[in-house]
Amino acid sequence: MTPFLAQTGSWISFDVHGLAQQFWNNTVDGLALGGIYALVALGYTLVYGVLKLINFAHSEVFVVGAFATWLTFYGLGFRPGATPVLSVFEIILFLAIACLAAMAASGGTAVLLERVAYRPLRKRNAPRLVFLITAIGASFAIQQGLRLVFGLNQQPQIRLLQPETLFRLFGAAVTNIHVILFVAAVLLWFVADYFVNRTRLGRGIRAVAQDPDTATLMGVNKERVIVITFLVGGLLAGAAALFYMMRIPQGAIYNGGFLLGIKAFTAAVLGGIGNLRGALLGGFILGLVENYGQSLFGGEWKDIVAFVVLIVVLMFRPTGILGESLGKARV
Amino acid sequence: MTTQTVSAPPKRRSIREQWNNLSRPAQWAILIPVVVLIYFLPVLNPPLIATTGTDFPNAMFDVARYALVAIGLNVVVGQAGLLDLGYVGFFAVGAYVAALFTSPNSSLHHLPYLWTLPLAMVITMIFGIVLGTPTLRLRGDYLAIVTLGFGEIIRLVADNVGPLRGQSGFQGVGTDSAGKPFFANATQWYWLTITIIIAILLLVGNLERSRVGRAWVSIREDEDVAEIMGVAVFRFKIWAFVIGAAIGGLSGALYAGKLGFVNNQSFDVITSMLFLAAVVLGGAGNKVGVLLGAIVVAYLPLRFVQLADYNYLIFGIALIILMIFRPQGLLGARQRLLARGRQAYQRLLGRGEQISGDSALSADMQGGPR
């Protein structure tokens, strides 16, 4: 094998200088990107916490949200091309409308998925691997359905908000979009955390996560809790889809969910699947690591970094950094 | 593991039972004409079966290729119960081995094409050990996701590493130094593949009936119990992984040789899912079942070209429906767990045993509504 390597040089090059130079840029961008991962990861984590099921089709729930966002922008009269000049109030209004539409679409998809694909299996008491294969089938079906409706190509980008540099952090430009993404992710995470840890319905979710049978005996409606869990995950994925479309306006493409889904799942595993705080932490860590890796190895290796992180984490700490704990969250 | 007696529909049971009760020579007497028929299918070009859109021998080769992959993946998923979503990675490694050692685009030392088949198996086996050693400690869903990650890593490496030539790929795979392809037409490729399939079926069948096969089944049914009963769980998992990988690599090398061209485009996750779908549709753990599954997955889209656009959509929906109503696949596995016990049974009672193992995918179904 030696001539093979000698003729072609090394397979991977390390660019430590680039990493040092881009460090703060990568940090800012990684935190913004990590926010999106974290929001999608919350959906994986919630469903896993309650059902011990990796909802493989959650990435498609996200993609449906992305298409809903695009269609809402289009329906509101925005066309691909130049970014329109809007007042702050209008921007917030339109974004809010798009957010609601995306959340409705994603939440609806998630609930439908639960109803059509998972509930019949639960009724039949199927083993867990069957759930996973059904999830793969559902993921295929939704993905290909979107392909038939919207075609193979990504939708042309529509931007409501042009990225503008607000301030600089150690020389790295922090844009308005970075700030929105980060703040929104943290805010939505707080809402989700409040919901699960402080409300009555959230208590039901935690009860089912901890012990479904006992929870049923205590008067918790298990089926309803499961639907709510899927709904909450779907709503968060819808919101994440809107923010993703703000950062990457050409993001609506039929197979766009796979990579993002696997990264969000990685984030969930990284932080400790079944753990809300873990999802947030894992999302940010993955966003950062991925961006640093991109500078170190070159842009085309970006996706590999996520997979390698996933494998390394699962090998050495299968329960993630914070461990599984939805059912054991504080009372 | 429960012993089922009369719960299954009597007709199907009796066919299986009759088959099991036939002596080995009698089984062969039925099988050999079937095999001969299968060999001559591309030559006969039967009217209803023949594909309209694609050249029929080409289509038959595709079916045979899927069948080989399904047999390999069945060892991993069906026999040992390890859900591998990245099987296409091994397929890709095999294809790249064939390409690197035979294509004029590659700067490596060139080998005759037939040598690359065993070489592809050896190299994918090494990959199987390398990938399996760290990951096979994981179970179920986690293992599935990690293997998915590995499959994607292999694809991304093929995308991004210079010597693997990304999208431009390798031309003239399988040609000799004069540039002549190894086989002139698809029928010969089909014959080669069928011959390999028969050889592999015999080998895998022997493995299944051996101590190794029984260990796999025990791991599939309950890993903890198997471990406690003294089965070296980890070692047998690696075994399954490596054997599956070798068959995947072989199939990849055949694919590369037949096509004569390899680039990074044919090794995506969808392909991996199709491989898995072939196994699950047919019935994981049942060799006849997975062959049937492979035929369904590979042949139907080629036969009904007008469906090609809805192909994957139908797949997804079919997978959901099948999992809901028949989680064990079209032909569920009736694992003859106790090969010797079966013979004893026959001697004692004069009829076939009725041991049911069901498939990896329905292990917990026992007693549940069917």
Side-chain angles (χ1 to χ4, degrees), chain A residues 7 54 127-128 130 137 141 147 262 273 300 314, chain B residues 83 107 141-142 145-146 148 160-161 309 313 316 361:
Chain A
Q7 276 178 18
I54 297 174
R128 280 170 58 194
V130 171
R147 182 181 67 94
I262 202 95
I273 192 159
E300 66 273 18
L314 278 179
Chain B
L83 194 59
S107 52
D141 301 343
Y142 285 111
I145 297 291
V146 167
L148 181 73
N160 296 322
V161 166
D309 216 24
L313 178 66
L361 305 167

mmCIF file with all atom_site columns, all heavy atoms in Angstrom, chain A residues 7 54 127-128 130 137 141 147 262 273 300 314, chain B residues 83 107 141-142 145-146 148 160-161 309 313 316 361:
data_model
loop_
_atom_site.group_PDB
_atom_site.id
_atom_site.type_symbol
_atom_site.label_atom_id
_atom_site.label_alt_id
_atom_site.label_comp_id
_atom_site.label_asym_id
_atom_site.label_entity_id
_atom_site.label_seq_id
_atom_site.pdbx_PDB_ins_code
_atom_site.Cartn_x
_atom_site.Cartn_y
_atom_site.Cartn_z
_atom_site.occupancy
_atom_site.B_iso_or_equiv
_atom_site.pdbx_formal_charge
_atom_site.auth_seq_id
_atom_site.auth_comp_id
_atom_site.auth_asym_id
_atom_site.auth_atom_id
_atom_site.pdbx_PDB_model_num
ATOM 1   N N   . GLN A 1 7   ? 2.220   8.536   -3.439  1.00 0.00 ? 7   GLN A N   1
ATOM 2   C CA  . GLN A 1 7   ? 1.910   9.325   -4.618  1.00 0.00 ? 7   GLN A CA  1
ATOM 3   C C   . GLN A 1 7   ? 0.886   10.408  -4.361  1.00 0.00 ? 7   GLN A C   1
ATOM 4   O O   . GLN A 1 7   ? 0.841   11.402  -5.065  1.00 0.00 ? 7   GLN A O   1
ATOM 5   C CB  . GLN A 1 7   ? 1.347   8.404   -5.704  1.00 0.00 ? 7   GLN A CB  1
ATOM 6   C CG  . GLN A 1 7   ? 2.433   7.717   -6.505  1.00 0.00 ? 7   GLN A CG  1
ATOM 7   C CD  . GLN A 1 7   ? 1.838   6.793   -7.531  1.00 0.00 ? 7   GLN A CD  1
ATOM 8   O OE1 . GLN A 1 7   ? 0.666   6.913   -7.865  1.00 0.00 ? 7   GLN A OE1 1
ATOM 9   N NE2 . GLN A 1 7   ? 2.633   5.873   -8.018  1.00 0.00 ? 7   GLN A NE2 1
ATOM 10  N N   . ILE A 1 54  ? -36.244 5.405   19.810  1.00 0.00 ? 54  ILE A N   1
ATOM 11  C CA  . ILE A 1 54  ? -35.598 6.414   18.983  1.00 0.00 ? 54  ILE A CA  1
ATOM 12  C C   . ILE A 1 54  ? -36.535 6.713   17.831  1.00 0.00 ? 54  ILE A C   1
ATOM 13  O O   . ILE A 1 54  ? -36.735 5.898   16.958  1.00 0.00 ? 54  ILE A O   1
ATOM 14  C CB  . ILE A 1 54  ? -34.238 5.923   18.452  1.00 0.00 ? 54  ILE A CB  1
ATOM 15  C CG1 . ILE A 1 54  ? -33.293 5.670   19.614  1.00 0.00 ? 54  ILE A CG1 1
ATOM 16  C CG2 . ILE A 1 54  ? -33.630 6.961   17.529  1.00 0.00 ? 54  ILE A CG2 1
ATOM 17  C CD1 . ILE A 1 54  ? -31.990 5.045   19.186  1.00 0.00 ? 54  ILE A CD1 1
ATOM 18  N N   . PRO A 1 127 ? -41.941 -5.728  19.916  1.00 0.00 ? 127 PRO A N   1
ATOM 19  C CA  . PRO A 1 127 ? -40.611 -5.475  20.470  1.00 0.00 ? 127 PRO A CA  1
ATOM 20  C C   . PRO A 1 127 ? -40.025 -4.186  19.904  1.00 0.00 ? 127 PRO A C   1
ATOM 21  O O   . PRO A 1 127 ? -40.492 -3.657  18.907  1.00 0.00 ? 127 PRO A O   1
ATOM 22  C CB  . PRO A 1 127 ? -39.797 -6.678  20.008  1.00 0.00 ? 127 PRO A CB  1
ATOM 23  C CG  . PRO A 1 127 ? -40.517 -7.201  18.829  1.00 0.00 ? 127 PRO A CG  1
ATOM 24  C CD  . PRO A 1 127 ? -41.957 -6.905  19.041  1.00 0.00 ? 127 PRO A CD  1
ATOM 25  N N   . ARG A 1 128 ? -38.986 -3.703  20.545  1.00 0.00 ? 128 ARG A N   1
ATOM 26  C CA  . ARG A 1 128 ? -38.489 -2.367  20.221  1.00 0.00 ? 128 ARG A CA  1
ATOM 27  C C   . ARG A 1 128 ? -37.903 -2.261  18.818  1.00 0.00 ? 128 ARG A C   1
ATOM 28  O O   . ARG A 1 128 ? -37.992 -1.219  18.180  1.00 0.00 ? 128 ARG A O   1
ATOM 29  C CB  . ARG A 1 128 ? -37.467 -1.934  21.262  1.00 0.00 ? 128 ARG A CB  1
ATOM 30  C CG  . ARG A 1 128 ? -38.144 -1.424  22.512  1.00 0.00 ? 128 ARG A CG  1
ATOM 31  C CD  . ARG A 1 128 ? -37.163 -1.214  23.632  1.00 0.00 ? 128 ARG A CD  1
ATOM 32  N NE  . ARG A 1 128 ? -36.130 -0.283  23.247  1.00 0.00 ? 128 ARG A NE  1
ATOM 33  C CZ  . ARG A 1 128 ? -35.015 -0.129  23.919  1.00 0.00 ? 128 ARG A CZ  1
ATOM 34  N NH1 . ARG A 1 128 ? -34.802 -0.856  24.989  1.00 0.00 ? 128 ARG A NH1 1
ATOM 35  N NH2 . ARG A 1 128 ? -34.119 0.727   23.541  1.00 0.00 ? 128 ARG A NH2 1
ATOM 36  N N   . VAL A 1 130 ? -38.950 -3.567  16.170  1.00 0.00 ? 130 VAL A N   1
ATOM 37  C CA  . VAL A 1 130 ? -40.025 -3.361  15.210  1.00 0.00 ? 130 VAL A CA  1
ATOM 38  C C   . VAL A 1 130 ? -40.401 -1.885  15.146  1.00 0.00 ? 130 VAL A C   1
ATOM 39  O O   . VAL A 1 130 ? -40.646 -1.332  14.078  1.00 0.00 ? 130 VAL A O   1
ATOM 40  C CB  . VAL A 1 130 ? -41.234 -4.238  15.579  1.00 0.00 ? 130 VAL A CB  1
ATOM 41  C CG1 . VAL A 1 130 ? -42.431 -3.889  14.730  1.00 0.00 ? 130 VAL A CG1 1
ATOM 42  C CG2 . VAL A 1 130 ? -40.888 -5.701  15.393  1.00 0.00 ? 130 VAL A CG2 1
ATOM 43  N N   . GLY A 1 137 ? -39.463 3.155   8.082   1.00 0.00 ? 137 GLY A N   1
ATOM 44  C CA  . GLY A 1 137 ? -40.467 3.157   7.021   1.00 0.00 ? 137 GLY A CA  1
ATOM 45  C C   . GLY A 1 137 ? -41.208 4.482   6.966   1.00 0.00 ? 137 GLY A C   1
ATOM 46  O O   . GLY A 1 137 ? -41.413 5.050   5.884   1.00 0.00 ? 137 GLY A O   1
ATOM 47  N N   . ALA A 1 141 ? -41.401 7.175   3.950   1.00 0.00 ? 141 ALA A N   1
ATOM 48  C CA  . ALA A 1 141 ? -42.674 7.555   3.342   1.00 0.00 ? 141 ALA A CA  1
ATOM 49  C C   . ALA A 1 141 ? -42.832 9.072   3.325   1.00 0.00 ? 141 ALA A C   1
ATOM 50  O O   . ALA A 1 141 ? -43.178 9.656   2.291   1.00 0.00 ? 141 ALA A O   1
ATOM 51  C CB  . ALA A 1 141 ? -43.822 6.892   4.089   1.00 0.00 ? 141 ALA A CB  1
ATOM 52  N N   . ARG A 1 147 ? -40.847 14.567  -1.644  1.00 0.00 ? 147 ARG A N   1
ATOM 53  C CA  . ARG A 1 147 ? -40.145 14.629  -2.935  1.00 0.00 ? 147 ARG A CA  1
ATOM 54  C C   . ARG A 1 147 ? -41.152 14.678  -4.089  1.00 0.00 ? 147 ARG A C   1
ATOM 55  O O   . ARG A 1 147 ? -40.976 15.436  -5.034  1.00 0.00 ? 147 ARG A O   1
ATOM 56  C CB  . ARG A 1 147 ? -39.244 13.415  -3.105  1.00 0.00 ? 147 ARG A CB  1
ATOM 57  C CG  . ARG A 1 147 ? -38.449 13.428  -4.392  1.00 0.00 ? 147 ARG A CG  1
ATOM 58  C CD  . ARG A 1 147 ? -37.592 12.189  -4.504  1.00 0.00 ? 147 ARG A CD  1
ATOM 59  N NE  . ARG A 1 147 ? -38.400 10.988  -4.657  1.00 0.00 ? 147 ARG A NE  1
ATOM 60  C CZ  . ARG A 1 147 ? -38.719 10.455  -5.836  1.00 0.00 ? 147 ARG A CZ  1
ATOM 61  N NH1 . ARG A 1 147 ? -38.279 10.996  -6.939  1.00 0.00 ? 147 ARG A NH1 1
ATOM 62  N NH2 . ARG A 1 147 ? -39.460 9.377   -5.895  1.00 0.00 ? 147 ARG A NH2 1
ATOM 63  N N   . ILE A 1 262 ? -29.713 13.185  12.357  1.00 0.00 ? 262 ILE A N   1
ATOM 64  C CA  . ILE A 1 262 ? -28.698 12.343  12.982  1.00 0.00 ? 262 ILE A CA  1
ATOM 65  C C   . ILE A 1 262 ? -27.810 13.198  13.890  1.00 0.00 ? 262 ILE A C   1
ATOM 66  O O   . ILE A 1 262 ? -27.358 12.751  14.944  1.00 0.00 ? 262 ILE A O   1
ATOM 67  C CB  . ILE A 1 262 ? -27.870 11.593  11.916  1.00 0.00 ? 262 ILE A CB  1
ATOM 68  C CG1 . ILE A 1 262 ? -27.214 10.360  12.521  1.00 0.00 ? 262 ILE A CG1 1
ATOM 69  C CG2 . ILE A 1 262 ? -26.797 12.413  11.311  1.00 0.00 ? 262 ILE A CG2 1
ATOM 70  C CD1 . ILE A 1 262 ? -27.996 9.141   12.331  1.00 0.00 ? 262 ILE A CD1 1
ATOM 71  N N   . ILE A 1 273 ? -29.424 10.978  26.630  1.00 0.00 ? 273 ILE A N   1
ATOM 72  C CA  . ILE A 1 273 ? -30.757 10.959  26.021  1.00 0.00 ? 273 ILE A CA  1
ATOM 73  C C   . ILE A 1 273 ? -31.806 10.723  27.107  1.00 0.00 ? 273 ILE A C   1
ATOM 74  O O   . ILE A 1 273 ? -31.591 9.960   28.041  1.00 0.00 ? 273 ILE A O   1
ATOM 75  C CB  . ILE A 1 273 ? -30.822 9.918   24.894  1.00 0.00 ? 273 ILE A CB  1
ATOM 76  C CG1 . ILE A 1 273 ? -32.096 10.104  24.086  1.00 0.00 ? 273 ILE A CG1 1
ATOM 77  C CG2 . ILE A 1 273 ? -30.692 8.505   25.402  1.00 0.00 ? 273 ILE A CG2 1
ATOM 78  C CD1 . ILE A 1 273 ? -32.023 9.501   22.720  1.00 0.00 ? 273 ILE A CD1 1
ATOM 79  N N   . GLU A 1 300 ? -15.196 19.830  4.133   1.00 0.00 ? 300 GLU A N   1
ATOM 80  C CA  . GLU A 1 300 ? -15.856 18.600  3.684   1.00 0.00 ? 300 GLU A CA  1
ATOM 81  C C   . GLU A 1 300 ? -15.854 17.534  4.768   1.00 0.00 ? 300 GLU A C   1
ATOM 82  O O   . GLU A 1 300 ? -16.567 16.546  4.660   1.00 0.00 ? 300 GLU A O   1
ATOM 83  C CB  . GLU A 1 300 ? -15.216 18.099  2.387   1.00 0.00 ? 300 GLU A CB  1
ATOM 84  C CG  . GLU A 1 300 ? -13.782 17.628  2.489   1.00 0.00 ? 300 GLU A CG  1
ATOM 85  C CD  . GLU A 1 300 ? -12.777 18.763  2.323   1.00 0.00 ? 300 GLU A CD  1
ATOM 86  O OE1 . GLU A 1 300 ? -13.185 19.932  2.478   1.00 0.00 ? 300 GLU A OE1 1
ATOM 87  O OE2 . GLU A 1 300 ? -11.606 18.485  2.059   1.00 0.00 ? 300 GLU A OE2 1
ATOM 88  N N   . LEU A 1 314 ? -20.875 7.105   22.324  1.00 0.00 ? 314 LEU A N   1
ATOM 89  C CA  . LEU A 1 314 ? -21.607 5.876   22.628  1.00 0.00 ? 314 LEU A CA  1
ATOM 90  C C   . LEU A 1 314 ? -20.676 4.793   23.155  1.00 0.00 ? 314 LEU A C   1
ATOM 91  O O   . LEU A 1 314 ? -21.069 3.980   23.983  1.00 0.00 ? 314 LEU A O   1
ATOM 92  C CB  . LEU A 1 314 ? -22.331 5.382   21.380  1.00 0.00 ? 314 LEU A CB  1
ATOM 93  C CG  . LEU A 1 314 ? -23.653 6.062   21.095  1.00 0.00 ? 314 LEU A CG  1
ATOM 94  C CD1 . LEU A 1 314 ? -24.279 5.521   19.843  1.00 0.00 ? 314 LEU A CD1 1
ATOM 95  C CD2 . LEU A 1 314 ? -24.611 5.892   22.268  1.00 0.00 ? 314 LEU A CD2 1
ATOM 96  N N   . LEU B 2 83  ? -28.946 -5.238  14.691  1.00 0.00 ? 83  LEU B N   1
ATOM 97  C CA  . LEU B 2 83  ? -29.536 -4.377  13.675  1.00 0.00 ? 83  LEU B CA  1
ATOM 98  C C   . LEU B 2 83  ? -28.460 -3.487  13.072  1.00 0.00 ? 83  LEU B C   1
ATOM 99  O O   . LEU B 2 83  ? -27.933 -2.602  13.733  1.00 0.00 ? 83  LEU B O   1
ATOM 100 C CB  . LEU B 2 83  ? -30.664 -3.539  14.274  1.00 0.00 ? 83  LEU B CB  1
ATOM 101 C CG  . LEU B 2 83  ? -31.544 -2.877  13.223  1.00 0.00 ? 83  LEU B CG  1
ATOM 102 C CD1 . LEU B 2 83  ? -32.174 -3.912  12.330  1.00 0.00 ? 83  LEU B CD1 1
ATOM 103 C CD2 . LEU B 2 83  ? -32.606 -2.056  13.882  1.00 0.00 ? 83  LEU B CD2 1
ATOM 104 N N   . SER B 2 107 ? -3.758  3.779   -9.179  1.00 0.00 ? 107 SER B N   1
ATOM 105 C CA  . SER B 2 107 ? -2.308  3.645   -9.315  1.00 0.00 ? 107 SER B CA  1
ATOM 106 C C   . SER B 2 107 ? -1.793  2.401   -8.595  1.00 0.00 ? 107 SER B C   1
ATOM 107 O O   . SER B 2 107 ? -0.600  2.130   -8.597  1.00 0.00 ? 107 SER B O   1
ATOM 108 C CB  . SER B 2 107 ? -1.623  4.892   -8.751  1.00 0.00 ? 107 SER B CB  1
ATOM 109 O OG  . SER B 2 107 ? -2.090  5.130   -7.447  1.00 0.00 ? 107 SER B OG  1
ATOM 110 N N   . ASP B 2 141 ? -31.169 -0.261  19.606  1.00 0.00 ? 141 ASP B N   1
ATOM 111 C CA  . ASP B 2 141 ? -31.253 1.011   18.910  1.00 0.00 ? 141 ASP B CA  1
ATOM 112 C C   . ASP B 2 141 ? -29.901 1.692   18.806  1.00 0.00 ? 141 ASP B C   1
ATOM 113 O O   . ASP B 2 141 ? -29.553 2.263   17.786  1.00 0.00 ? 141 ASP B O   1
ATOM 114 C CB  . ASP B 2 141 ? -32.205 1.949   19.660  1.00 0.00 ? 141 ASP B CB  1
ATOM 115 C CG  . ASP B 2 141 ? -33.584 1.363   19.783  1.00 0.00 ? 141 ASP B CG  1
ATOM 116 O OD1 . ASP B 2 141 ? -33.875 0.425   19.043  1.00 0.00 ? 141 ASP B OD1 1
ATOM 117 O OD2 . ASP B 2 141 ? -34.353 1.852   20.621  1.00 0.00 ? 141 ASP B OD2 1
ATOM 118 N N   . TYR B 2 142 ? -29.133 1.631   19.878  1.00 0.00 ? 142 TYR B N   1
ATOM 119 C CA  . TYR B 2 142 ? -27.848 2.321   19.872  1.00 0.00 ? 142 TYR B CA  1
ATOM 120 C C   . TYR B 2 142 ? -26.919 1.717   18.838  1.00 0.00 ? 142 TYR B C   1
ATOM 121 O O   . TYR B 2 142 ? -26.234 2.418   18.102  1.00 0.00 ? 142 TYR B O   1
ATOM 122 C CB  . TYR B 2 142 ? -27.189 2.257   21.246  1.00 0.00 ? 142 TYR B CB  1
ATOM 123 C CG  . TYR B 2 142 ? -27.815 3.177   22.242  1.00 0.00 ? 142 TYR B CG  1
ATOM 124 C CD1 . TYR B 2 142 ? -28.537 2.695   23.315  1.00 0.00 ? 142 TYR B CD1 1
ATOM 125 C CD2 . TYR B 2 142 ? -27.665 4.552   22.110  1.00 0.00 ? 142 TYR B CD2 1
ATOM 126 C CE1 . TYR B 2 142 ? -29.116 3.542   24.233  1.00 0.00 ? 142 TYR B CE1 1
ATOM 127 C CE2 . TYR B 2 142 ? -28.238 5.409   23.018  1.00 0.00 ? 142 TYR B CE2 1
ATOM 128 C CZ  . TYR B 2 142 ? -28.965 4.905   24.084  1.00 0.00 ? 142 TYR B CZ  1
ATOM 129 O OH  . TYR B 2 142 ? -29.531 5.751   24.969  1.00 0.00 ? 142 TYR B OH  1
ATOM 130 N N   . ILE B 2 145 ? -27.918 2.915   15.417  1.00 0.00 ? 145 ILE B N   1
ATOM 131 C CA  . ILE B 2 145 ? -27.501 4.277   15.089  1.00 0.00 ? 145 ILE B CA  1
ATOM 132 C C   . ILE B 2 145 ? -25.996 4.333   14.823  1.00 0.00 ? 145 ILE B C   1
ATOM 133 O O   . ILE B 2 145 ? -25.526 5.030   13.924  1.00 0.00 ? 145 ILE B O   1
ATOM 134 C CB  . ILE B 2 145 ? -27.891 5.235   16.232  1.00 0.00 ? 145 ILE B CB  1
ATOM 135 C CG1 . ILE B 2 145 ? -29.413 5.262   16.385  1.00 0.00 ? 145 ILE B CG1 1
ATOM 136 C CG2 . ILE B 2 145 ? -27.363 6.615   15.976  1.00 0.00 ? 145 ILE B CG2 1
ATOM 137 C CD1 . ILE B 2 145 ? -30.146 5.911   15.270  1.00 0.00 ? 145 ILE B CD1 1
ATOM 138 N N   . VAL B 2 146 ? -25.219 3.597   15.618  1.00 0.00 ? 146 VAL B N   1
ATOM 139 C CA  . VAL B 2 146 ? -23.773 3.634   15.420  1.00 0.00 ? 146 VAL B CA  1
ATOM 140 C C   . VAL B 2 146 ? -23.397 3.024   14.068  1.00 0.00 ? 146 VAL B C   1
ATOM 141 O O   . VAL B 2 146 ? -22.550 3.562   13.344  1.00 0.00 ? 146 VAL B O   1
ATOM 142 C CB  . VAL B 2 146 ? -23.049 2.902   16.563  1.00 0.00 ? 146 VAL B CB  1
ATOM 143 C CG1 . VAL B 2 146 ? -21.611 2.663   16.207  1.00 0.00 ? 146 VAL B CG1 1
ATOM 144 C CG2 . VAL B 2 146 ? -23.117 3.727   17.809  1.00 0.00 ? 146 VAL B CG2 1
ATOM 145 N N   . LEU B 2 148 ? -25.258 2.964   11.493  1.00 0.00 ? 148 LEU B N   1
ATOM 146 C CA  . LEU B 2 148 ? -25.665 3.977   10.518  1.00 0.00 ? 148 LEU B CA  1
ATOM 147 C C   . LEU B 2 148 ? -24.564 5.019   10.361  1.00 0.00 ? 148 LEU B C   1
ATOM 148 O O   . LEU B 2 148 ? -24.189 5.410   9.258   1.00 0.00 ? 148 LEU B O   1
ATOM 149 C CB  . LEU B 2 148 ? -26.958 4.650   10.992  1.00 0.00 ? 148 LEU B CB  1
ATOM 150 C CG  . LEU B 2 148 ? -27.553 5.715   10.090  1.00 0.00 ? 148 LEU B CG  1
ATOM 151 C CD1 . LEU B 2 148 ? -28.181 5.075   8.887   1.00 0.00 ? 148 LEU B CD1 1
ATOM 152 C CD2 . LEU B 2 148 ? -28.582 6.535   10.832  1.00 0.00 ? 148 LEU B CD2 1
ATOM 153 N N   . ASN B 2 160 ? -14.598 12.295  0.069   1.00 0.00 ? 160 ASN B N   1
ATOM 154 C CA  . ASN B 2 160 ? -13.635 13.345  0.371   1.00 0.00 ? 160 ASN B CA  1
ATOM 155 C C   . ASN B 2 160 ? -12.178 12.967  0.273   1.00 0.00 ? 160 ASN B C   1
ATOM 156 O O   . ASN B 2 160 ? -11.325 13.848  0.245   1.00 0.00 ? 160 ASN B O   1
ATOM 157 C CB  . ASN B 2 160 ? -13.893 13.876  1.794   1.00 0.00 ? 160 ASN B CB  1
ATOM 158 C CG  . ASN B 2 160 ? -15.249 14.525  1.892   1.00 0.00 ? 160 ASN B CG  1
ATOM 159 O OD1 . ASN B 2 160 ? -15.669 15.194  0.958   1.00 0.00 ? 160 ASN B OD1 1
ATOM 160 N ND2 . ASN B 2 160 ? -15.942 14.299  2.978   1.00 0.00 ? 160 ASN B ND2 1
ATOM 161 N N   . VAL B 2 161 ? -11.872 11.674  0.261   1.00 0.00 ? 161 VAL B N   1
ATOM 162 C CA  . VAL B 2 161 ? -10.465 11.304  0.208   1.00 0.00 ? 161 VAL B CA  1
ATOM 163 C C   . VAL B 2 161 ? -10.020 11.257  -1.249  1.00 0.00 ? 161 VAL B C   1
ATOM 164 O O   . VAL B 2 161 ? -10.644 10.586  -2.078  1.00 0.00 ? 161 VAL B O   1
ATOM 165 C CB  . VAL B 2 161 ? -10.255 9.942   0.899   1.00 0.00 ? 161 VAL B CB  1
ATOM 166 C CG1 . VAL B 2 161 ? -8.895  9.381   0.564   1.00 0.00 ? 161 VAL B CG1 1
ATOM 167 C CG2 . VAL B 2 161 ? -10.396 10.111  2.393   1.00 0.00 ? 161 VAL B CG2 1
ATOM 168 N N   . ASP B 2 309 ? -41.264 5.908   -9.790  1.00 0.00 ? 309 ASP B N   1
ATOM 169 C CA  . ASP B 2 309 ? -41.254 7.190   -9.098  1.00 0.00 ? 309 ASP B CA  1
ATOM 170 C C   . ASP B 2 309 ? -41.796 7.063   -7.674  1.00 0.00 ? 309 ASP B C   1
ATOM 171 O O   . ASP B 2 309 ? -41.398 7.806   -6.783  1.00 0.00 ? 309 ASP B O   1
ATOM 172 C CB  . ASP B 2 309 ? -42.101 8.183   -9.908  1.00 0.00 ? 309 ASP B CB  1
ATOM 173 C CG  . ASP B 2 309 ? -41.518 9.564   -9.862  1.00 0.00 ? 309 ASP B CG  1
ATOM 174 O OD1 . ASP B 2 309 ? -40.301 9.662   -9.627  1.00 0.00 ? 309 ASP B OD1 1
ATOM 175 O OD2 . ASP B 2 309 ? -42.267 10.531  -10.041 1.00 0.00 ? 309 ASP B OD2 1
ATOM 176 N N   . LEU B 2 313 ? -41.665 5.527   -1.785  1.00 0.00 ? 313 LEU B N   1
ATOM 177 C CA  . LEU B 2 313 ? -42.839 5.894   -0.998  1.00 0.00 ? 313 LEU B CA  1
ATOM 178 C C   . LEU B 2 313 ? -43.613 4.628   -0.636  1.00 0.00 ? 313 LEU B C   1
ATOM 179 O O   . LEU B 2 313 ? -43.966 4.399   0.525   1.00 0.00 ? 313 LEU B O   1
ATOM 180 C CB  . LEU B 2 313 ? -43.716 6.849   -1.807  1.00 0.00 ? 313 LEU B CB  1
ATOM 181 C CG  . LEU B 2 313 ? -45.007 7.286   -1.121  1.00 0.00 ? 313 LEU B CG  1
ATOM 182 C CD1 . LEU B 2 313 ? -44.685 8.130   0.087   1.00 0.00 ? 313 LEU B CD1 1
ATOM 183 C CD2 . LEU B 2 313 ? -45.899 8.057   -2.073  1.00 0.00 ? 313 LEU B CD2 1
ATOM 184 N N   . GLY B 2 316 ? -41.810 2.636   2.019   1.00 0.00 ? 316 GLY B N   1
ATOM 185 C CA  . GLY B 2 316 ? -41.968 3.149   3.375   1.00 0.00 ? 316 GLY B CA  1
ATOM 186 C C   . GLY B 2 316 ? -43.294 2.710   3.955   1.00 0.00 ? 316 GLY B C   1
ATOM 187 O O   . GLY B 2 316 ? -43.364 2.180   5.069   1.00 0.00 ? 316 GLY B O   1
ATOM 188 N N   . LEU B 2 361 ? -37.224 -10.184 15.167  1.00 0.00 ? 361 LEU B N   1
ATOM 189 C CA  . LEU B 2 361 ? -38.059 -9.010  15.297  1.00 0.00 ? 361 LEU B CA  1
ATOM 190 C C   . LEU B 2 361 ? -39.322 -9.293  16.060  1.00 0.00 ? 361 LEU B C   1
ATOM 191 O O   . LEU B 2 361 ? -40.137 -8.433  16.273  1.00 0.00 ? 361 LEU B O   1
ATOM 192 C CB  . LEU B 2 361 ? -38.393 -8.488  13.910  1.00 0.00 ? 361 LEU B CB  1
ATOM 193 C CG  . LEU B 2 361 ? -37.120 -8.232  13.113  1.00 0.00 ? 361 LEU B CG  1
ATOM 194 C CD1 . LEU B 2 361 ? -37.444 -8.026  11.662  1.00 0.00 ? 361 LEU B CD1 1
ATOM 195 C CD2 . LEU B 2 361 ? -36.391 -7.050  13.669  1.00 0.00 ? 361 LEU B CD2 1
#
